[in-house]
Amino acid sequence: MGTAAAGGGCGARRWLPWLGLCFWAAGAAAARGADNGEVLPDSIPSAPGTLPHFIEEPEDAYIIKSNPIALRCKARPAMQIFFKCNGEWVHQNEHVSEESLDESSGLKVREVFINVTRQQVEDFHGPEDYWCQCVAWSHLGTSKSRKASVRIAYLRKNFEQDPQGREVPIEGMIVLHCRPPEGVPAAEVEWLKNEEPIDSAQDENIDTRADHNLIIRQARLSDSGNYTCMAANIVAKRRSLSATVVVYVDGSWEVWSEWSVCSPECEHLRIRECTAPPPRNGGKFCEGLSQESENCTDGLCILDKKPLHEIKPQSIENASDIALYSGLGAAIVAVAVLVIGVTLYRRSHSDYGVDVIDSSALTGNSLLLNPAMQPDLTVSRTYSGPICLQDPLDKELMTESSLFNPLSDIKVKVQSSFMVSLGVSERAEYHGKNHSGTFPHGNNRGFSTIHPRNKTPYIQNLSSLPTRTELRTTGVFGHLGGRLVMPNTGVSLLIPHGAIPEENSWEIYMSINQGEPSLQSDGSEVLLSPEVTCGPPDMLVTTPFALTIPHCADVSSEHWNIHLKKRTQQGKWEEVMSVEDESTSCYCLLDPFACHVLLDSFGTYALTGEPITDCAVKQLKVAVFGCMSCNSLDYNLRVYCVDNTPCAFQEVVSDERHQGGQLLEEPKLLHFKGNTFSLQISVLDIPPFLWRIKPFTACQEVPFSRVWSSNRQPLHCAFSLERYTPTTTQLSCKICIRQLKGHEQILQVQTSILESERETITFFAQEDSTFPAQTGPKAFKIPYSIRQRICATFDTPNAKGKDWQMLAQKNSINRNLSYFATQSSPSAVILNLWEARHQQDGDLDSLACALEEIGRTHTKLSNITESQLEEADFNYSRQNGL
């Protein structure tokens, strides 16, 4: 009733219950008189029919530390002004107002301000920022000001991305990335060089406007120095880590000097120096010779002041004897080396068990005898297994091997006329033999499933596996190239034929870092592969080599941004390229479980990934090991969750071997999302009255960050089970590994805890560890003669469209084709990549299919008759010596 009475007393004026007053001049004056003990006179004029106009509106403001801020507004003509914050009226007692008269217009001017505290902003939990606005009244109505937001200002300490050091050649581009710390308001970035501010307005070669990054378009020697990214807002300033930029100059040769005067030894010299320019700041020294000498008398050299034809015959005889004995010695050494080489060659070939193509199969082919003959592209082909092609040279050595096992043959008939045109016999048969104890290879080639008769199918023999000290391998390679394999790790190196100059040989090594990773992740970036080193670093190759590195990412360009990184000589890591980038310096081909990289320099490489969304997935391999404890009634279970790379699991196996652990179930794959949710591991379905689990260990939880960055040490949880009686020897239970709001896997344990009752099964396939280093033709799946024909066919575009781009497309190489265009033989590099991808399966069937499909396609692209095309191919082959 009181409220109604008060409202009714306002008459035509507006009753505002939230203020307890009648709104217009008299009511407002009365209310203020009640609250403040003073009444403003009603004599201040207000122009009737005029809406309030804001002279000053509240501005956006930031609260720094704990200091309150003041919001102001001023309007005319205005009888009342009140603030509304977040949709609610601010109480009258929190307003401070002043009234005045505008002398020029005679209108009433009112100014009001309020204070907003940090506590008020922190206590507000709305869908938008804390906001306030003014509402002003006049005789005609109301006007509203703009909304002013109030936010708590801050600046975090750590940069989201620090600039990384660079070594760049002179006139190369320098790009230093900087992502300042999160802050409100957003931080402004300034760059320092050697602690001095950089003014891009004074140097057209420098640009600092591109998303806080520093770009130097053409590097100069003076651009070398230490660069620091400075971030600042109204709260604080932050400094990034300094990045050292080195601009180097590779040395170049001056032109040759004039020939010197002929010496008494009948030679003259010429020299050149590495001074045009000299190498600077660690640049490469000049390549080639700095001095040359040659005979300066055209063979008419005078010795002891006599012409050669006047020298005594005895001297000639002595020289002839020396030459004779030297030749005999060299022949003996050559024969010995040949015998040793043939012996090693036979032993190395005994592992393959494959009949090879005889040269008679090629020479007997009617199509090769008459290359102008039209190939029949409609002939069907039948394959019942993988094709293995070798050079004819290997046949005799391999068929005489005494190490063959009498296993069943896999017969493959090749009836592809397109393959025949490349030099493969039309009806050749290939007999492939598999070794006992080995397993078929798939994408996840480290593991295979075996089903023995009893109920303990996955107990593995760990004693034959290599230890950590063996994660290094070497081999000597020459002009014929070869392949270097790190056993059971998924890491390999392919040196193509011709990559090393003739008459040269190098001892090439490869190793995997099994200690603490030297690559420290920045921000959300994670390590997805082992750190692989290949060398020697000063070795130069004439064609790119292929390095295969396993990774644990569930490949998707929508969710991952994957980078290839290389460690510099200073120990820092720098980005080589993103796998989705276009580059002519290197090439990355990302398969589901490995990345194949074409490179021209040795060093230490690794793959990192930056998740783009929460749906980014790392593939984890989960496995359970078991062993008896010191107490005869106890049995320990250890559950591992490691990156899904063969080398990561090999480290686990090595550790378990030293602890006496046995693998109890086939490892499984778990997709772990980057959604920040943790991992839970629990033991379920333990047989009652036979086993019990120690208290508080049945379920364990692992934080997300520990799993997501699990490349430091193998992650595992231990569970302790206890038998009620010593007569219990069988154990069955389930291990549940699940991510909250993610995927899960179940490991079914069914085993005997007594070693005598378990069946030992070899787990890792052994063929890739028998010959870690393979050299020459046996290291490649495609015989060299066939490879030459493919390259000759596809390197030169012709009317049929059979160029290297089509060869790349049919082998699922669809991006960054500009890299191959820069190579002297694009087809050869494509085939090198094929060799790296198919090193385990040697799937020549897929290559044959691709070549056949190209053969069928090109017949539809030409209006010229087939006979004319084949005649053109024949002429081309004759000109190129094919």
Side-chain angles (χ1 to χ4, degrees):
M1 294 295 293
T3 302
C10 289
R13 291 170 291 185
R14 182 178 303 173
W15 166 247
L16 299 180
W18 52 274
L19 291 175
L21 54 84
C22 292
F23 197 83
W24 279 2
R32 285 195 302 275
D35 287 340
N36 304 326
E38 62 175 336
V39 178
L40 289 175
D42 291 338
S43 58
I44 297 179
S46 177
T50 302
L51 286 174
H53 169 70
F54 283 98
I55 304 172
E56 180 180 349
E57 296 185 78
E59 299 289 338
D60 296 339
Y62 298 95
I63 295 179
I64 302 175
K65 297 182 179 180
S66 298
N67 301 319
I69 55 96
L71 297 179
R72 298 175 179 271
C73 64
K74 183 189 294 186
R76 68 181 180 192
M79 295 181 296
Q80 291 289 352
I81 300 178
F82 287 99
F83 272 93
K84 177 185 286 188
C85 294
N86 307 315
E88 298 182 359
W89 294 104
V90 178
H91 197 275
Q92 183 182 13
N93 293 340
E94 298 179 22
H95 292 72
V96 176
S97 63
E98 296 179 356
E99 283 188 354
S100 61
L101 187 64
D102 186 352
E103 296 180 356
S104 60
S105 62
L107 298 178
K108 186 189 299 183
V109 178
R110 182 175 292 272
E111 181 178 5
V112 176
F113 70 87
I114 61 172
N115 286 332
V116 179
T117 65
R118 183 187 185 98
Q119 189 66 41
Q120 289 175 300
V121 178
E122 290 179 342
D123 290 343
F124 173 68
H125 302 287
E128 53 187 347
D129 292 333
Y130 190 101
W131 60 269
C132 296
Q133 71 174 161
C134 292
V135 182
W137 281 264
S138 70
H139 287 287
L140 187 63
T142 62
S143 296
K144 294 181 180 180
S145 70
R146 67 179 294 273
K147 289 183 179 180
S149 63
V150 181
R151 305 174 68 187
I152 297 175
Y154 67 92
L155 184 63
R156 301 200 184 280
K157 293 184 178 180
N158 297 325
F159 277 70
E160 294 184 1
Q161 182 179 10
D162 288 293
Q164 301 295 315
R166 293 273 190 263
E167 293 180 357
V168 296
I170 193 166
E171 296 186 353
M173 177 179 286
I174 302 174
V175 179
L176 297 181
H177 298 279
C178 175
R179 291 169 60 188
E182 179 186 349
V184 173
E188 295 186 357
V189 169
E190 179 186 28
W191 283 90
L192 305 180
K193 176 190 173 186
N194 299 330
E195 302 303 322
E196 294 293 330
I198 296 176
D199 187 0
S200 59
Q202 302 296 324
D203 191 342
E204 295 181 352
N205 194 39
I206 297 177
D207 185 2
T208 59
R209 298 169 297 175
D211 196 23
H212 308 307
N213 299 328
L214 174 67
I215 299 175
I216 301 178
R217 296 182 179 88
Q218 288 187 317
R220 304 154 295 194
L221 288 176
S222 59
D223 292 321
S224 298
N226 295 320
Y227 288 82
T228 308
C229 183
M230 292 286 295
N233 67 2
I234 59 177
V235 178
K237 289 185 177 181
R238 306 283 187 237
R239 289 173 57 98
S240 72
L241 298 177
S242 293
T244 301
V245 172
V246 177
V247 181
Y248 61 86
V249 179
D250 289 333
S252 179
W253 288 96
E254 293 181 335
V255 297
W256 288 105
S257 66
E258 297 292 333
W259 289 104
S260 67
V261 178
C262 197
S263 70
E265 289 77 19
C266 305
E267 289 184 340
H268 60 179
L269 305 174
R270 65 174 182 174
I271 61 173
R272 55 181 178 178
E273 297 182 351
C274 188
T275 57
R280 300 184 63 178
N281 294 347
K284 293 181 181 178
F285 198 76
C286 299
E287 299 177 356
L289 299 175
S290 61
Q291 177 177 306
E292 272 189 349
S293 64
E294 68 177 17
N295 188 284
C296 53
T297 62
D298 294 329
L300 301 176
C301 185
I302 296 178
L303 185 62
D304 294 334
K305 300 182 180 180
K306 294 182 179 180
L308 284 177
H309 60 82
E310 295 182 5
I311 298 177
K312 293 182 179 180
Q314 181 180 359
S315 301
I316 299 177
E317 291 177 1
N318 292 339
S320 300
D321 291 343
I322 294 174
L324 175 62
Y325 294 133
S326 300
L328 289 175
I332 294 172
V333 172
V335 171
V337 170
L338 180 61
V339 171
I340 295 173
V342 170
T343 302
L344 294 177
Y345 196 79
R346 288 183 177 181
R347 292 180 179 177
S348 64
H349 274 67
S350 65
D351 183 56
Y352 286 87
V354 177
D355 289 345
V356 299
I357 299 176
D358 197 336
S359 59
S360 62
L362 297 178
T363 57
N365 190 297
S366 59
L367 181 59
L368 291 180
L369 293 177
N370 184 9
M373 182 180 297
Q374 175 179 345
D376 182 7
L377 300 177
T378 63
V379 177
S380 62
R381 57 178 175 81
T382 58
Y383 300 109
S384 58
I387 306 173
C388 185
L389 300 178
Q390 297 286 343
D391 277 333
L393 177 64
D394 301 340
K395 182 178 179 70
E396 180 181 355
L397 295 175
M398 296 181 67
T399 54
E400 292 181 0
S401 172
S402 60
L403 300 179
F404 274 34
N405 293 323
L407 299 179
S408 58
D409 294 350
I410 300 176
K411 296 186 178 180
V412 180
K413 292 188 177 181
V414 180
Q415 298 179 347
S416 167
S417 57
F418 191 80
M419 286 294 288
V420 170
S421 68
L422 294 174
V424 181
S425 175
E426 183 177 0
R427 296 186 59 83
E429 289 190 354
Y430 307 96
H431 307 277
K433 299 182 176 71
N434 287 335
H435 292 277
S436 59
T438 62
F439 306 94
H441 293 285
N443 283 335
N444 194 359
R445 53 183 172 271
F447 309 100
S448 295
T449 302
I450 295 298
H451 299 283
R453 294 180 180 177
N454 64 9
K455 295 185 178 181
T456 59
Y458 299 111
I459 301 173
Q460 309 301 331
N461 178 12
L462 306 178
S463 61
S464 63
L465 297 175
T467 61
R468 296 187 193 181
T469 58
E470 296 176 322
L471 292 185
R472 177 184 174 92
T473 186
T474 62
V476 177
F477 297 88
H479 182 69
L480 296 180
R483 193 189 303 268
L484 192 60
V485 177
M486 188 75 69
N488 299 325
T489 64
V491 177
S492 65
L493 183 68
L494 182 77
I495 307 297
H497 182 284
I500 301 176
E502 291 191 67
E503 301 180 357
N504 285 359
S505 62
W506 287 85
E507 182 179 15
I508 297 177
Y509 63 86
M510 189 166 59
S511 63
I512 298 177
N513 178 18
Q514 284 291 96
E516 188 74 12
S518 61
L519 198 163
Q520 302 299 323
S521 302
D522 296 331
S524 60
E525 191 176 52
V526 293
L527 187 63
L528 298 177
S529 76
E531 297 174 2
V532 179
T533 301
C534 53
D538 56 343
M539 175 181 168
L540 299 178
V541 293
T542 58
T543 189
F545 61 89
L547 178 63
T548 297
I549 305 176
H551 66 81
C552 62
D554 187 19
V555 180
S556 172
S557 59
E558 298 178 357
H559 306 311
W560 280 106
N561 189 5
I562 299 178
H563 307 272
L564 175 68
K565 292 197 172 183
K566 181 180 181 181
R567 189 170 62 193
T568 65
Q569 295 180 350
Q570 290 76 22
K572 296 182 178 180
W573 287 83
E574 63 180 15
E575 182 176 327
V576 179
M577 68 176 295
S578 171
V579 296
E580 297 296 328
D581 284 349
E582 298 287 326
S583 173
T584 57
S585 61
C586 67
Y587 187 90
C588 290
L589 181 61
L590 201 63
D591 279 345
F593 295 94
C595 183
H596 310 282
V597 190
L598 296 176
L599 299 161
D600 55 11
S601 63
F602 290 92
T604 300
Y605 295 90
L607 292 173
T608 64
E610 185 178 3
I612 302 175
T613 69
D614 288 348
C615 295
V617 169
K618 276 185 65 175
Q619 299 183 81
L620 303 181
K621 189 167 293 299
V622 294
V624 55
F625 289 79
C627 68
M628 297 288 292
S629 66
C630 297
N631 184 345
S632 61
L633 293 178
D634 288 354
Y635 191 76
N636 295 327
L637 296 177
R638 287 184 289 274
V639 182
Y640 288 85
C641 301
V642 297
D643 291 348
N644 183 34
T645 59
C647 49
F649 187 70
Q650 180 171 324
E651 184 178 358
V652 171
V653 170
S654 178
D655 290 342
E656 282 294 326
R657 182 189 61 185
H658 293 298
Q659 299 181 58
Q662 293 287 333
L663 189 62
L664 304 181
E665 160 73 317
E666 179 189 14
K668 293 186 178 180
L669 205 60
L670 176 68
H671 289 84
F672 190 78
K673 290 185 176 181
N675 58 9
T676 72
F677 287 97
S678 59
L679 188 73
Q680 287 184 346
I681 304 175
S682 54
V683 180
L684 308 173
D685 298 346
I686 300 175
F689 310 114
L690 295 177
W691 293 87
R692 65 182 176 187
I693 192 168
K694 295 295 181 67
F696 308 110
T697 64
C699 182
Q700 301 183 34
E701 187 165 331
V702 185
F704 169 83
S705 59
R706 180 70 176 89
V707 183
W708 193 248
S709 303
S710 61
N711 43 52
R712 300 303 191 265
Q713 291 295 331
L715 171 65
H716 78 277
C717 293
F719 300 88
S720 181
L721 279 66
E722 183 181 8
R723 294 179 287 172
Y724 282 96
T725 64
T727 59
T728 301
T729 61
Q730 298 294 320
L731 171 63
S732 64
C733 64
K734 293 180 181 178
I735 309 293
C736 178
I737 304 103
R738 63 182 293 265
Q739 183 186 17
L740 299 179
K741 297 188 178 181
H743 299 86
E744 74 172 15
Q745 274 290 6
I746 300 293
L747 297 177
Q748 180 70 53
V749 176
Q750 187 170 356
T751 185
S752 171
I753 65 173
L754 300 181
E755 187 173 356
S756 59
E757 298 180 6
R758 286 196 295 257
E759 179 179 344
T760 300
I761 302 175
T762 303
F763 191 75
F764 280 108
Q766 297 297 320
E767 62 265 27
D768 60 346
S769 61
T770 305
F771 299 103
Q774 297 177 323
T775 60
K778 64 178 179 294
F780 303 96
K781 308 299 180 184
I782 308 173
Y784 183 63
S785 57
I786 305 301
R787 177 190 179 92
Q788 283 184 309
R789 291 178 181 270
I790 295 176
C791 294
T793 303
F794 290 99
D795 273 346
T796 303
N798 54 52
K800 293 181 287 187
K802 294 189 300 184
D803 61 4
W804 61 267
Q805 292 185 351
M806 186 174 292
L807 179 65
Q809 178 185 0
K810 296 303 180 183
N811 284 279
S812 302
I813 302 173
N814 300 314
R815 46 165 296 275
N816 197 13
L817 296 183
S818 58
Y819 172 82
F820 300 99
T822 63
Q823 306 298 322
S824 58
S825 175
S827 300
V829 180
I830 293 171
L831 294 179
N832 293 340
L833 194 57
W834 184 94
E835 290 275 2
R837 298 179 76 182
H838 296 276
Q839 60 175 314
Q840 295 292 340
D841 51 40
D843 187 14
L844 282 170
D845 185 27
S846 66
L847 182 60
C849 292
L851 296 175
E852 254 193 337
E853 188 173 349
I854 295 174
R856 288 193 299 267
T857 301
H858 82 79
T859 59
K860 304 177 183 178
L861 301 178
S862 175
N863 294 323
I864 306 175
T865 64
E866 279 295 319
S867 59
Q868 291 174 320
L869 291 178
E870 292 300 328
E871 182 65 30
D873 274 356
F874 174 67
N875 294 334
Y876 173 80
S877 300
R878 288 202 310 177
Q879 293 171 5
N880 289 274
L882 298 180

